[in-house]
Amino acid sequence: MTLTALPIFVKLAGRPVILVGEGEAADAKRRLLERAGAVIVGETDEATLAIVATEDPEPVVARLRARGVLVNTVDRSDLCDFTLPAIVDRDPVLVAIGTGGVSAGLAAALRQRLEAVLPASLGGLARALEAAKPAIRGRWPGIGERRRALGAALAGPLDPLRDHPADAVETWLKGSASAEAGLLRFTLASPDPDDLSLRQARALSQADRVFHRSEVPSLILDRARADAARIACDGPPADPGPGLSLYLEMEA
């Protein structure tokens, strides 16, 4: 599976961003840039990013691109080097929904659904986890062990879709158990990643390496962490290595 664009979060506070255009669309982009702390400048000023909201954007976009500026053009995905997603803000957690400029309405509809699902306490949970980093490192010194412990917590007692009291992370640290490790074996009945069980999906997101038969489709393997090793093999490994490993095969 290839990405049509690479989602990134760019810190714009104090940095210049070109905004060309007037009217409702330009005003909406101006408000968004101001929320991000950007310094809004004109077409002839120096900047690395630009937003164009005009009825005849082609010549403006051509001039900006000739200078090496990355451009977002309102309602013209064919003239966009980057797109602006719909945003769910639970500071410091930001959820961005993009459609590659195909349908802003769809992105907005998804944002509205997520607004109703993500609790207001989510930002507080993120800050509590940040404050607890020294304690978490002390409890689980190894990177893989630490990642699995956090994964298990966020799938259980620290579920980010639930409201949590301010001391939820502290309570979890006092009573948490060891993170799952070893080799897990799964025989998959379907090649569709949407048919993965919750346990299978969770294991894929946490595993350090994924051993798999050749018939396991790439769509399933794509659900594993980007940095997890994918190792094609004919059977379960005798020595899977430290941390959590998976062995995947398809049902006959």
Side-chain angles (χ1 to χ4, degrees), residues 87-209:
I87 296 172
V88 181
D89 188 355
R90 296 291 185 272
D91 182 41
V93 178
L94 287 178
V95 180
I97 307 105
T99 63
V102 172
S103 175
L106 175 59
L110 290 171
R111 177 187 61 78
Q112 291 168 4
R113 296 288 184 90
L114 290 173
E115 284 281 8
V117 170
L118 298 179
S121 64
L122 183 58
L125 175 62
R127 295 192 186 282
L129 286 169
E130 180 186 33
K133 280 182 177 179
I136 293 171
R137 289 194 184 99
R139 181 76 179 266
W140 297 283
I143 294 176
E145 185 185 16
R146 188 160 60 244
R147 181 176 55 244
R148 290 189 297 276
L150 281 170
L154 292 169
L158 298 182
D159 183 349
L161 299 187
R162 289 164 37 197
D163 269 312
H164 292 285
D167 63 348
V169 173
E170 181 181 355
T171 300
W172 162 66
L173 280 170
K174 288 178 179 177
S176 56
S178 298
E180 190 171 33
L183 177 68
L184 296 179
R185 297 181 58 172
F186 294 118
T187 299
L188 307 177
S190 167
D192 188 341
D194 290 335
D195 292 332
L196 291 168
S197 70
L198 179 61
R199 183 166 184 252
Q200 290 167 347
R202 173 182 157 189
L204 273 166
S205 71
Q206 297 176 12
D208 297 289
R209 62 197 64 80

